[in-house]
Amino acid sequence: MMAYLLRHGISPALSSSNNKFASTKASLERLFESFKIHGMKAAKVDPLKRMPAAAAALLTPERFGLTKDSQVQYDGQMVKVGALLDQLDNLYCGQMVVDTSAIDDEEEVEWINHLTKQHQNSTLNDEQKVTIAKILLKSQCLDKFLGKKFPVLKRYSGEGAEGMLVVVDQLLHSMANDNVEQCIIGMPHRGRNNLLHGQLNFPMELMLRKIKGKSEFPPDVSHTATGDVLSHLNTSTTCQYGDNSIKVNLLPNSSHLEAVNPVVMGKCRARQQTLKDGNYSTNEYKQAGDKVTNILMHGDAAFTGQGIVMEGLNMSLLGGYSVGGTIHIIVNNQVGFTTSPTSGRSSANASDPGRMIGCPVIRVNGDSARDLLIAAQIANEYRRQYRKDVIIDMICYRKWGHNELDDPSFTQPHMYKIIRQKESFPDAYAQQLIEDGLIGDGDANKWVDDEMKRLDKCLVDADTYETRDFFLQSAWSNMQVASPHHITTWNTGCDSQLLRYIATKSVQVPDTFVMHGTLVKTHVKSRLDKIANNKAIDWSTAECMAIGSLLLQGYNVRFSGEDVGRGTFSHRHAALTCQQTEHKHIPLNHLDDNQSAQLEIMGSLLSEEAVLAYEYGFSIENPDRLCIWEAQFGDFFNGAQIQLDAFILSGEAKWMYQTGLVILLPHGFDGSGPEHSSCRIERFLQCTNSLEDGIDGDSVNVNICNPTTPSQYFHLLRRQMMRNFRKPLIIATPKTLLRSPAATSSLEELESGTTFRPIITTNTDNVDPKTVDTMILCSGKHYYTLESERRRLIDEQGRNDLKNSVIVRVEELCPFPAQLIGEELRKYSAVNKLIWSQEESRNAGAWNFVASRMQNILGVKVQYCGRPVHAAVASGIGSVHNEEKDAILRDTFTKS
């Protein structure tokens, strides 16, 4: 019982038999244990020195029947308790403490404790001290310069948190010494300009040009690049540390706090694949993170407040998402906008989300240079040793409000009274070096004067500074900025014999592999029969042909989402499970003995936002990799809306980051109710930059398709890799059509020389175009409902007038195929009834998008046939669903 109480920080009452207090030895042990448990609560980690009195009370010797003058036997000699208190205070209550309470592995805890004790006795050499002073003063110079020259600028300064620059610099230095080649960084706005300016070699002229309201991009890409705000700037640079160097990529961030975290992780893993690091190495002794790692910086309020933090932490140890450990730095301002920690989180510490993965936390005073360096060193060594996440919780403050125009004393008067009276860390540290005789009185002033002069010159040069093409470099150098003037067509077909070979190999397994009996009949034999007897190809076969052909062309493919290996609708079976060993086998990774490209396909954690963000990060690293994310049902994307709005759909416009990410969203009204029917295609269409009164080009920000045949899907997937530019692709994928005999394709539709068709016109009765008087436009699965009803009406009710109608399937909605539709209207010049028919409600689907373009571009009005306006996506009442479906068909085929 005693051990349990001590482990959980509860002090039992002292036993009182004949003695009032327990033995001195027992009291001393309990004092030691109290420091282990409660010492960090009294640690001197707050530069504002606001330690709660209750924490110190837990560590008084009187609590255990001792006094400072008590003589106790310790380590073989009699010492005063007061002397031991000094040692305990230094070990557990210093300006840096390591919290290992969330770690279950005792050996790991001992390793960390041993490392910490080693570092606690270390000192900084003179060179390190001078380097730190210059880092701090340079940062302060930037903030003072911008504050003077641009007094109303929201710069989100690093003042009060300059210590984070010391931490990052030391981390990069340590990584370079460890031969880590690259580091991907994600961070919010606070202190971002200071890091860009101080450590990451960002051109100050470009930053000042941006502040003056000018574009960060050259004029020849103005049709695409609209830019982003100052606090979202990004860079890629090489940092040199003696003879060692490390390439650093600071990713652009969104104002949605923490949203960039999985993006960084995804790009980090993608770069590991490119450099054959860790999981992708042919050397079994190599570990993830040997060559590429990442740093994530956070605000204290956001780290506990944003759910995506927990999603990212949950990813950190999963096989398909691990990057060999992330170093987290919480820039703990001790306030979130205007919310105090007691109102902003239920946990004791900002770092507590890390407890879910047993994460060590290094809590450090943001104004203690030596301890900041030690914290960085411990974090780096821990990641190298265990390849797991580690948190540096740097306690600091925010000199101004959320931005420099806010008055924080409205809501935190006591805190800001202390801050206003406090000397800055840069000035205090420089003064300390002067007092120590390390630098002269004039040295610091000269550093500041020189830096201010340099900044003044940069301000003058900013107006004439020529922006450079810092995008589409390195691996992206063969890509182009898409043209706004035309839509290109690409030959995406393949040799039919190759496709037969791929389909056959896609169901082959090792001899010892025991496949599920149902799959042998419904999947393996069915696919082999299609290939052997030249039967129609279904969706999953077309998909495997597309992916397999890309693999053989050397393109890696990554496919993730919930249930993707099997497929939500049990149709894919790209990853098979042995029924005896549960070993996973991916047949497409065994197409050829010399195959270099691989398919990574994994069922993801139950998350939309973090997983989609991760795949976006993966996709922006290299254009020669097809990345696919599939939602379990189409409307589940809305859990990742931030990623779509802030990164995927606008990333190229804001930062010139191209992505070829494919997003598969199962869509179709089949009576499944409000949450399983629609991928909300209207929302994606609203987010496009498609022209409402002009002809679209390849430069649209996203391609949105609702294909009706497996061959169309095949061509779309291959087109993503064949083009010389990259665009995100949203596909409204089928559900009921996956096994529909009507929705199949012949192998000839996939052969060399074939391509994706933005529209498909169906004239099943082969009537003279001049006699056609009705044209019905539609998109997706709804076509099959319309064509089936059309044939029924002709065959059963003698509606021969319907033979003079054609159905035009709009397979690609963005870019809108206005020219192709116009050609059809000219071909069928007698059309006097033009209908848009959809299964979605009037305030959803593609109706509003299509109708305005038909009228503004082609000068024709379109009649609407579809469900009436709805608040919910679809009715959850079966009879209502069927009534609405019947009404759509009646309206579409009613005689005019």
Side-chain angles (χ1 to χ4, degrees):
M1 185 65 180
M2 174 73 75
Y4 175 85
L5 292 172
L6 290 175
R7 187 160 53 249
H8 291 80
I10 304 170
S11 296
L14 296 173
S15 83
S16 55
S17 52
N18 297 325
N19 299 320
K20 184 177 180 180
F21 299 106
S23 69
T24 302
K25 180 180 178 181
S27 295
L28 189 61
E29 287 177 351
R30 291 172 60 205
L31 175 63
F32 283 9
E33 192 69 20
S34 186
F35 266 89
K36 287 182 181 180
I37 296 171
H38 302 295
M40 65 185 63
K41 300 174 185 176
K44 304 169 187 66
V45 292
D46 184 359
L48 302 182
K49 301 178 180 178
R50 300 180 302 158
M51 184 184 73
L58 295 170
L59 307 175
T60 58
E62 288 78 10
R63 188 164 174 254
F64 306 102
L66 301 170
T67 68
K68 289 184 179 181
D69 295 325
S70 298
Q71 292 281 339
V72 294
Q73 187 172 26
Y74 177 74
D75 201 18
Q77 57 184 335
M78 297 300 293
V79 295
K80 283 189 176 184
V81 169
L84 293 178
L85 285 174
D86 291 340
Q87 294 180 39
L88 290 169
D89 185 76
N90 181 57
L91 184 61
Y92 296 110
C93 308
Q95 292 185 304
M96 187 209 72
V97 293
V98 182
D99 183 357
T100 59
S101 60
I103 302 175
D104 293 328
D105 189 326
E106 292 184 6
E107 289 186 8
E108 187 176 323
V109 172
E110 285 302 315
W111 186 92
I112 295 172
N113 288 340
H114 178 71
L115 179 65
T116 302
K117 289 175 183 177
Q118 281 185 321
H119 280 292
Q120 280 182 329
N121 297 322
S122 63
T123 57
L124 304 184
N125 60 43
D126 291 349
E127 183 181 356
Q128 288 175 311
K129 292 177 182 178
V130 171
T131 298
I132 291 173
K134 288 183 176 180
I135 289 173
L136 296 174
L137 289 172
K138 185 175 183 180
S139 175
Q140 184 168 266
C141 283
L142 176 65
D143 285 322
K144 288 186 174 181
F145 177 82
L146 294 179
K148 179 180 179 181
K149 300 294 183 180
F150 305 96
V152 296
L153 175 70
K154 296 179 181 179
R155 63 184 189 274
Y156 304 104
S157 80
E159 293 166 285
E162 295 93 347
M164 69 177 176
L165 306 177
V166 177
V167 173
V168 173
D169 188 75
Q170 180 58 45
L171 285 173
L172 296 177
H173 194 164
S174 298
M175 291 172 184
N177 290 344
D178 291 336
N179 297 316
V180 176
E181 297 176 18
Q182 299 191 28
C183 180
I184 318 296
I185 300 179
M187 71 176 296
H189 48 285
R190 179 78 53 213
R192 188 181 187 89
N193 294 331
N194 304 75
L195 183 63
L196 284 166
H197 165 66
Q199 280 63 53
L200 302 186
N201 308 316
F202 192 85
M204 183 47 57
E205 296 88 349
L206 181 58
M207 185 182 292
L208 292 169
R209 173 187 171 88
K210 178 68 179 176
I211 292 172
K212 287 186 170 187
K214 298 184 179 180
S215 175
E216 60 269 41
F217 298 106
D220 61 332
V221 294
S222 59
H223 65 276
T224 295
T226 55
D228 202 352
V229 296
L230 174 68
S231 55
H232 296 173
L233 291 175
N234 62 93
T235 193
S236 183
T237 188
T238 298
C239 296
Q240 195 73 35
Y241 295 95
D243 295 332
N244 300 314
S245 64
I246 182 169
K247 185 174 181 180
V248 182
N249 182 197
L250 174 65
L251 290 190
N253 67 304
S254 157
S255 290
H256 294 81
L257 297 175
E258 309 294 337
V260 76
N261 299 355
V263 179
V264 170
M265 295 171 66
K267 183 167 184 180
C268 180
R269 180 160 174 135
R271 186 62 53 85
Q272 290 174 352
Q273 185 181 55
T274 296
L275 298 183
K276 302 201 178 333
D277 182 19
N279 299 306
Y280 304 99
S281 175
T282 55
N283 185 336
E284 61 178 316
Y285 298 105
K286 295 294 183 180
Q287 299 182 71
D290 279 349
K291 296 181 180 180
V292 188
T293 188
N294 68 121
I295 298 171
L296 289 177
M297 302 173 71
H298 318 268
D300 51 314
F303 197 73
T304 53
Q306 294 295 319
I308 196 170
V309 172
M310 276 58 80
E311 292 184 30
L313 292 170
N314 189 28
M315 280 180 162
S316 66
L317 298 174
L318 302 181
Y321 303 90
S322 171
V323 294
T326 295
I327 297 178
H328 301 268
I329 304 171
I330 300 177
V331 180
N332 195 333
N333 295 311
Q334 308 183 72
V335 64
F337 198 3
T338 63
T339 302
S340 64
T342 54
S343 299
R345 64 173 185 260
S346 295
S347 62
N349 301 296
S351 57
D352 282 349
R355 300 183 71 85
M356 68 181 281
I357 57 168
C359 197
V361 178
I362 306 165
R363 203 158 284 117
V364 62
N365 189 314
D367 276 10
S368 178
R370 171 184 169 275
D371 293 295
L372 290 167
L373 250 68
I374 293 174
Q377 291 166 349
I378 293 174
N380 181 68
E381 291 180 48
Y382 175 83
R383 189 204 69 84
R384 290 285 293 177
Q385 176 69 20
Y386 291 100
R387 305 303 163 116
K388 296 194 295 187
D389 287 23
V390 56
I391 297 172
I392 298 174
D393 186 3
M394 188 192 79
I395 315 300
C396 55
Y397 61 93
R398 190 184 66 195
K399 183 176 180 179
W400 311 104
H402 178 65
N403 62 66
E404 289 71 22
L405 307 183
D406 282 346
D407 185 346
S409 65
F410 290 159
T411 50
Q412 278 80 31
H414 294 166
M415 182 183 196
Y416 276 88
K417 181 178 180 181
I418 298 172
I419 291 173
R420 281 195 295 266
Q421 296 171 353
K422 189 181 183 304
E423 184 178 23
S424 75
F425 180 27
D427 288 340
Y429 191 70
Q431 183 59 39
Q432 184 62 53
L433 297 191
I434 292 171
E435 293 175 2
D436 292 344
L438 184 57
I439 62 175
D441 290 343
D443 290 338
N445 290 334
K446 186 177 186 306
W447 296 341
V448 170
D449 290 342
D450 289 347
E451 179 61 17
M452 285 299 194
K453 288 177 182 177
R454 189 184 76 84
L455 292 171
D456 278 327
K457 185 177 185 304
C458 290
L459 182 61
V460 173
D461 295 342
D463 290 330
T464 56
Y465 182 82
E466 292 188 9
T467 53
R468 55 190 173 86
D469 290 344
F470 53 85
F471 50 90
L472 299 184
Q473 301 292 315
S474 302
W476 291 83
S477 58
N478 291 328
M479 295 292 108
Q480 300 177 5
V481 178
S483 170
H485 303 301
H486 56 261
I487 296 175
T488 51
T489 300
W490 300 83
N491 178 7
T492 48
C494 289
D495 178 77
S496 60
Q497 289 303 111
L498 176 64
L499 297 179
R500 292 176 185 273
Y501 171 81
I502 292 169
T504 301
K505 295 287 284 185
S506 73
V507 291
Q508 287 185 2
V509 296
D511 293 339
T512 57
F513 190 94
V514 181
M515 191 180 296
H516 196 286
T518 301
L519 291 185
V520 173
K521 289 183 283 188
T522 63
H523 179 63
V524 178
K525 290 184 178 179
S526 174
R527 182 167 293 179
L528 292 176
D529 178 58
K530 291 182 177 72
I531 299 305
N533 298 298
N534 203 30
K535 293 182 178 179
I537 302 300
D538 61 12
W539 290 79
S540 66
T541 304
E543 180 183 81
C544 95
M545 289 175 169
I547 292 174
S549 62
L550 290 172
L551 291 171
L552 291 176
Q553 286 180 261
Y555 296 102
N556 285 303
V557 179
R558 180 177 168 90
F559 201 144
S560 84
E562 297 155 22
D563 307 321
V564 294
R566 183 202 68 169
T568 295
F569 309 102
S570 197
H571 68 287
R572 180 172 293 121
H573 301 292
L576 301 169
T577 303
C578 177
Q579 296 302 294
Q580 286 187 348
T581 65
E582 294 196 357
H583 172 73
K584 302 294 182 183
H585 182 73
I586 302 174
L588 289 179
N589 285 336
H590 303 275
L591 294 173
D592 185 83
D593 291 340
N594 299 317
Q595 181 177 341
S596 60
Q598 295 287 298
L599 166 64
E600 270 194 303
I601 186 164
M602 72 287 294
S604 72
L605 60 153
L606 195 61
S607 156
E608 280 77 40
E609 184 177 5
V611 175
L612 183 56
Y614 194 99
E615 302 313 325
Y616 170 73
F618 217 100
S619 72
I620 62 176
E621 191 273 335
N622 192 305
D624 295 332
R625 181 187 294 117
L626 179 64
C627 295
I628 306 172
W629 177 75
E630 181 177 60
Q632 195 174 53
F633 284 90
D635 56 343
F636 289 3
F637 80 86
N638 55 22
Q641 193 68 55
I642 288 173
Q643 298 299 326
L644 289 158
D645 292 342
F647 291 92
I648 298 167
L649 299 177
S650 62
E652 186 177 14
K654 293 193 290 188
W655 317 306
M656 291 303 291
Y657 273 30
Q658 290 191 9
T659 171
L661 179 63
V662 178
I663 299 177
L664 305 180
L665 303 175
H667 174 88
F669 283 59
D670 48 24
S672 298
E675 269 81 54
H676 293 86
S677 297
S678 174
C679 72
R680 305 307 296 257
I681 204 164
E682 65 278 0
R683 292 187 180 177
F684 291 100
L685 293 171
Q686 187 183 41
C687 292
T688 73
N689 61 349
S690 168
L691 299 175
E692 193 172 346
D693 55 359
I695 304 298
D696 288 335
D698 282 332
S699 61
V700 291
N701 63 319
V702 59
N703 296 146
I704 301 175
C705 300
N706 195 359
T708 56
T709 68
S711 63
Q712 289 282 81
Y713 179 45
F714 169 90
H715 289 300
L716 282 173
L717 291 180
R718 286 188 48 78
R719 189 179 73 172
Q720 285 298 95
M721 293 292 99
M722 297 299 103
R723 299 192 293 194
N724 59 359
F725 59 89
R726 295 289 179 262
K727 294 288 180 180
L729 170 62
I730 312 295
I731 304 181
T733 53
K735 296 181 291 180
T736 58
L737 295 187
L738 291 171
R739 295 179 177 85
S740 170
T744 55
S745 298
S746 67
L747 195 58
E748 289 72 22
E749 293 175 86
L750 283 65
E751 286 186 338
S752 298
T754 58
T755 188
F756 174 75
R757 294 183 288 169
I759 67 169
I760 299 175
T761 300
T762 304
N763 181 358
T764 53
D765 295 294
N766 296 316
V767 299
D768 184 346
K770 295 179 181 178
T771 66
V772 172
D773 57 13
T774 301
M775 180 179 289
I776 302 168
L777 299 170
C778 68
S779 188
K781 159 187 166 288
H782 188 51
Y783 158 73
Y784 293 99
T785 304
L786 293 175
E787 181 58 21
S788 175
E789 178 67 3
R790 178 177 173 275
R791 287 257 49 101
R792 187 189 72 81
L793 291 172
I794 292 173
D795 295 341
E796 297 180 11
Q797 297 186 14
R799 287 284 305 277
N800 290 325
D801 60 297
L802 293 181
K803 292 183 177 180
N804 293 325
S805 64
V806 294
I807 301 177
V808 177
R809 291 174 259 174
V810 182
E811 302 276 293
E812 183 167 48
L813 291 158
C814 182
F816 187 67
Q819 289 179 306
L820 295 176
I821 295 174
E823 290 174 7
E824 294 300 288
L825 288 171
R826 288 188 288 275
K827 177 180 177 181
Y828 298 101
S829 56
V831 166
N832 55 41
K833 187 177 182 181
L834 188 60
I835 296 170
W836 174 263
S837 185
Q838 66 177 33
E839 56 184 357
E840 299 88 355
S841 58
R842 189 176 186 123
N843 57 326
W847 159 245
N848 288 306
F849 183 87
V850 171
S852 61
R853 282 157 180 77
M854 294 293 290
Q855 181 159 359
N856 295 340
I857 302 173
L858 299 176
V860 294
K861 288 188 176 182
V862 186
Q863 176 185 334
Y864 173 79
C865 292
R867 283 178 166 80
V869 293
H870 279 318
V873 170
S875 174
I877 303 169
S879 59
V880 173
H881 167 79
N882 291 327
E883 289 169 5
E884 290 179 337
K885 176 182 174 181
D886 293 342
I888 294 170
L889 296 176
R890 282 197 304 272
D891 291 346
T892 302
F893 294 112
T894 296
K895 291 183 180 180
S896 55

